[in-house]
Amino acid sequence: MNSKKHTVSDEYGNFVLDYKLGDTIEFRHDHWQTKLVFGDKLTDSIFLKKRPIVLDEIVITRNRHNKEIDDLKEIEKEKNRKTDHFFLRTF
């Protein structure tokens, strides 16, 4: 971060970067959490954590051409009849 140099890894994640022991190195990639490492703490492998995806709202609708949801409802009804229990699942 001090020298403002950057590099890009190859398809296997390998990279080459010149740095000094006092430098702070920033590792970042889209959809992954950024990680800062001090030059004197740099190891052979750096692992980034996946950045969580937060959705405000999801709307699920049934595809009228897909009978799987209706089939699941029938399976639940049959299971309820066999066990003498009442269970209603909404889809």
Side-chain angles (χ1 to χ4, degrees), residues 73-89:
K73 287 180 181 178
E74 290 302 317
I75 291 169
E76 286 297 327
K77 285 180 187 176
E78 184 63 29
K79 190 182 344 177
N80 289 340
R81 270 187 241 125
K82 288 181 180 178
T83 61
D84 291 330
H85 291 93
F86 178 74
F87 179 77
L88 177 63
R89 180 181 292 172

Side-chain angles (χ1 to χ4, degrees), residues 1 27 34-35 55 72 79 87:
M1 292 182 67
F27 294 89
T34 300
K35 185 171 192 169
L55 303 174
L72 287 173
K79 190 182 344 177
F87 179 77

Side-chain angles (χ1 to χ4, degrees), residues 6 10-12 26 52 56 61 64 71 73-74 80:
H6 70 279
D10 65 14
E11 62 189 83
Y12 304 105
E26 178 183 46
D56 292 333
T61 59
R64 292 184 179 151
D71 292 343
K73 287 180 181 178
E74 290 302 317
N80 289 340

Side-chain angles (χ1 to χ4, degrees), residues 1-14:
M1 292 182 67
N2 300 343
S3 68
K4 305 296 183 202
K5 292 181 183 178
H6 70 279
T7 187
V8 178
S9 65
D10 65 14
E11 62 189 83
Y12 304 105
N14 300 315

Side-chain angles (χ1 to χ4, degrees), residues 24-60:
T24 302
I25 303 166
E26 178 183 46
F27 294 89
R28 64 181 164 169
H29 190 280
D30 294 342
H31 309 293
W32 296 85
Q33 292 180 356
T34 300
K35 185 171 192 169
L36 297 176
V37 177
F38 294 108
D40 57 343
K41 303 286 185 195
L42 191 62
T43 60
D44 290 341
S45 298
I46 302 295
F47 296 95
L48 301 180
K49 294 181 181 178
K50 193 85 163 155
R51 183 178 296 152
I53 299 172
V54 179
L55 303 174
D56 292 333
E57 180 179 351
I58 299 175
V59 177
I60 301 174

